[in-house]
């Protein structure tokens, strides 16, 4: 049976993974090697140097390509490496349109690194405006993140793709699928050209790796992006590649549980008298709930909410939680909680943060896979 015809749970366990031909080991070995012996100059078994390719990484790439139903995948040293490689694909004078509420590190890379090399980025409100309000004749890349971070806005991928692909020259449309994970959202099927993952988050799922991946279908793009990666580096080591590969096998189980728990907590928080407002795409009160229902198979494990009060209220609450760990990042089996204005989104200029609504009372949680009653009690006790 062809793995491509299988359902997601099966793909997560089997795609890219074959027993080792020399020993029969069922698990992919960690090929800790930088170089490969050649039988005669230029003749080798597909590997000559590990920046170019490594068998453990090859297995991971096939696995992630399978999850996104994509033809090609490049596994990377981090999610930000993926953003950087795509920027290297551009030239000085090119223009990028990015979702405004974008991951802080992505915004930082566009504003403080690539702007210096002549690539200009416009941050766009693609919930309330059309892409055409922002594009220019030199627009070469459209950057979508959905759900956005930390405000969990939902961008209609299909709508943006349709508008983008009518333009000439045609910009590439990238979707950062880190928050939804391929279990809940398939951007390539909605017409996106490239999917980016910070595998640091849900794909690895155990908060013990920093990694990234790009997935796409176009053969030309494969040659160009691999050329950039091979030229600049940015590859994951074999041990990191192996850890992500291991994490992916339980992705379906974990995502299902993350979502079940998040739904319970979002509803509890929405009822709580000390909470001003809850943002979770699965709640009927979410302004783009209908788009989320159409484009996602589920609503994920991230919740954002506003406390009634001020910064002191937030600090007090964040110091009182016990099970939720006060830490940046997301997508691990353990529940995390954080204060975006001071922590993950500190690199965004204060003025922009305020305009977006990332206030001092905004809290973001990454709901883990623990017992949901324990998680609920932890939040209730901390809220007081
Ligand atoms: C973490 C994250 C990134 C960056 O990934 P790193 O692995 O930290 O480099 C990009 N996008 C989103 C949505 C993220 O959460």
């Amino acid at each position: 049976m062809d793995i491509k015809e299988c359902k997601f749970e099966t793909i997560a366990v089997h795609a890219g993974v074959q027993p080792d031909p020399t020993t029969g080991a069922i698990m992919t070995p960690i090929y800790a090697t930088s170089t490969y012996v050649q039988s005669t100059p230029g003749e080798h078994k597909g590997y000559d140097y590990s920046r170019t390719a490594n068998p453990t990484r090859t297995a991971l790439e096939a696995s992630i390509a399978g999850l996104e139903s994509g033809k090609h995948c490049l596994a990377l040293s981090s999610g930000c490496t993926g953003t950087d490689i795509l920027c290297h694909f551009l030239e000085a004078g090119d223009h990028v349109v990015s979702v405004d509420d974008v991951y802080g590190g992505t915004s930082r890379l566009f504003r403080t690194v690539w702007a210096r090399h002549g690539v200009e980025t416009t941050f766009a409100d693609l919930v309330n405006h059309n892409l055409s309000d922002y594009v220019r004749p030199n627009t070469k890349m459209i950057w979508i993140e959905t759900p956005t971070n930390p405000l969990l806005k939902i961008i209609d991928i299909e709508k943006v793709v349709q508008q983008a692909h009518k333009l000439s020259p045609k910009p590439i449309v990238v979707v950062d699928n880190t928050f939804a994970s391929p279990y809940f959202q398939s951007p390539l099927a909605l017409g996106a050209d490239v999917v980016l993952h910070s595998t640091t988050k849900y794909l690895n799922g155990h908060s013990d790796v920093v990694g990234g991946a790009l997935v796409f279908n176009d053969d030309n793009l494969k040659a160009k992006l691999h050329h950039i990666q091979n030229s600049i580096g940015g590859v994951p080591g074999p041990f990191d590649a192996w850890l992500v590969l291991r994490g992916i096998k339980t992705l379906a189980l974990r995502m299902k549980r993350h979502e079940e728990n998040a739904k319970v907590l979002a509803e509890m928080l929405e009822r709580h008298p000390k909470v001003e407002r809850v943002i979770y795409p699965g709640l009927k009160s979410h302004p783009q709930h209908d788009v989320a229902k159409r484009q996602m198979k589920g609503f994920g494990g991230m919740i954002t909410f506003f406390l009634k009060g001020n910064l002191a209220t937030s600090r007090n609450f964040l110091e009182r939680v016990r099970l939720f760990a006060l830490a940046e990042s997301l997508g691990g089996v353990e529940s995390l909680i954080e204060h975006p204005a001071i922590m993950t989104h500190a690199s965004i200029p204060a003025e922009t943060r305020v305009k977006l609504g990332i206030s001092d009372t905004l809290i973001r949680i990454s709901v883990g896979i623990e017992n949901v009653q324990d998680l609920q009690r932890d939040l209730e006790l901390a809220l007081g």
Side-chain angles (χ1 to χ4, degrees):
M1 182 170 182
D2 188 349
I3 184 79
K4 287 204 176 76
E5 290 161 21
C6 293
K7 299 276 195 295
F8 190 92
E9 293 82 351
T10 312
I11 290 173
V13 173
H14 292 287
V17 182
Q18 263 117 34
D20 177 45
T22 53
T23 62
I26 191 164
M27 285 301 147
T28 310
I30 301 167
Y31 285 92
T33 187
S34 58
T35 191
Y36 306 81
V37 176
Q38 310 197 359
S39 52
T40 180
E43 228 165 78
H44 52 72
K45 299 184 164 70
Y47 296 94
D48 57 359
Y49 187 62
S50 278
R51 177 167 23 76
T52 312
N54 172 285
T56 314
R57 199 165 100 218
T58 304
L60 174 63
E61 291 174 339
S63 169
I64 298 176
L67 297 177
E68 288 287 359
S69 303
K71 193 165 167 197
H72 305 293
C73 171
L74 294 176
L76 315 162
S77 53
S78 74
C80 285
T81 305
T83 314
D84 193 49
I85 284 177
L86 289 164
C87 288
H88 272 278
F89 183 66
L90 306 175
E91 288 172 19
D94 286 349
H95 175 246
V96 177
V97 175
S98 164
V99 166
D100 54 5
D101 184 36
V102 74
Y103 174 70
T106 305
S107 158
R108 180 174 56 200
L109 192 62
F110 288 149
R111 283 181 297 106
T112 70
V113 178
W114 281 94
R116 283 197 289 118
H117 295 293
V119 174
E120 201 190 331
T121 303
T122 302
F123 294 94
D125 174 1
L126 293 178
V127 171
N128 298 303
H129 292 268
N130 281 321
L131 184 64
S132 55
D133 296 343
Y134 302 99
V135 292
R136 300 178 191 168
N138 58 341
T139 303
K140 295 287 171 60
M141 182 161 76
I142 313 297
W143 194 273
I144 302 174
E145 197 179 303
T146 180
T148 66
N149 178 12
L151 296 167
L152 306 179
K153 294 195 245 178
I154 305 294
I155 312 295
D156 189 332
I157 298 174
E158 216 166 7
K159 189 174 129 193
V160 176
V161 165
Q162 276 171 8
Q163 292 170 353
H165 284 174
K166 273 193 213 127
L167 299 169
S168 169
K170 211 158 83 172
I172 63 164
V173 180
V174 182
V175 175
D176 183 336
N177 204 25
T178 301
F179 265 43
S181 91
Y183 185 68
F184 287 129
Q185 184 166 272
S186 304
L188 295 180
L190 298 170
D193 299 302
V194 181
V195 168
L196 170 94
H197 276 289
S198 167
T199 55
T200 314
K201 318 296 167 49
Y202 286 113
L203 291 198
N204 178 58
H206 295 73
S207 307
D208 49 13
V209 171
V210 171
L214 293 172
V215 192
F216 43 92
N217 287 318
D218 189 299
D219 296 336
N220 284 326
L221 210 53
K222 159 82 191 208
K224 287 179 185 164
L225 296 177
H226 184 257
H227 172 82
I228 297 170
Q229 183 186 30
N230 192 35
S231 303
I232 66 174
V235 297
F239 185 62
D240 282 359
W242 181 84
L243 277 172
V244 179
L245 193 59
R246 183 183 212 253
I248 283 172
K249 292 174 212 265
T250 56
L251 180 67
L253 291 172
R254 287 186 283 110
M255 293 315 298
K256 194 162 172 276
R257 179 62 169 261
H258 283 300
E259 190 197 31
E260 281 166 14
N261 285 358
K263 188 165 180 288
V264 172
L265 297 185
E267 285 169 2
M268 179 279 280
L269 288 165
E270 197 164 54
R271 285 191 307 266
H272 201 284
K274 301 238 168 111
V275 174
E276 177 90 48
R277 184 159 74 88
V278 181
I279 309 176
Y280 180 67
L283 291 174
K284 285 202 182 65
S285 59
H286 190 290
Q288 295 94 42
H289 177 63
D290 288 341
V291 183
K293 252 190 351 201
R294 172 158 44 81
Q295 109 178 344
M296 302 173 77
K297 293 178 206 86
F299 305 107
M302 300 298 296
I303 305 174
T304 292
F305 55 99
F306 295 87
L307 293 173
K308 288 180 185 162
N310 52 31
L311 180 57
T313 322
S314 299
R315 277 195 188 279
N316 190 283
F317 169 65
L318 292 168
E319 285 164 10
R320 285 163 59 112
V321 284
R322 288 291 170 266
L323 283 176
F324 280 84
L326 179 60
E328 301 196 3
S329 199
L330 60 114
V333 289
E334 67 291 321
S335 292
L336 299 180
I337 193 160
E338 67 117 0
H339 190 270
I342 297 177
M343 297 168 67
T344 48
H345 289 67
S347 68
I348 310 268
E351 192 186 311
T352 311
R353 271 204 314 266
V354 170
K355 219 163 72 191
L356 287 170
I358 305 173
S359 73
D360 285 343
T361 57
L362 177 70
I363 309 286
R364 189 190 81 180
I365 60 178
S366 169
V367 181
I369 63 168
E370 301 96 330
N371 181 290
V372 73
Q373 285 164 0
D374 292 336
L375 295 178
Q376 175 162 346
R377 187 153 166 74
D378 192 39
L379 291 179
E380 281 169 348
L381 285 174
L383 283 165

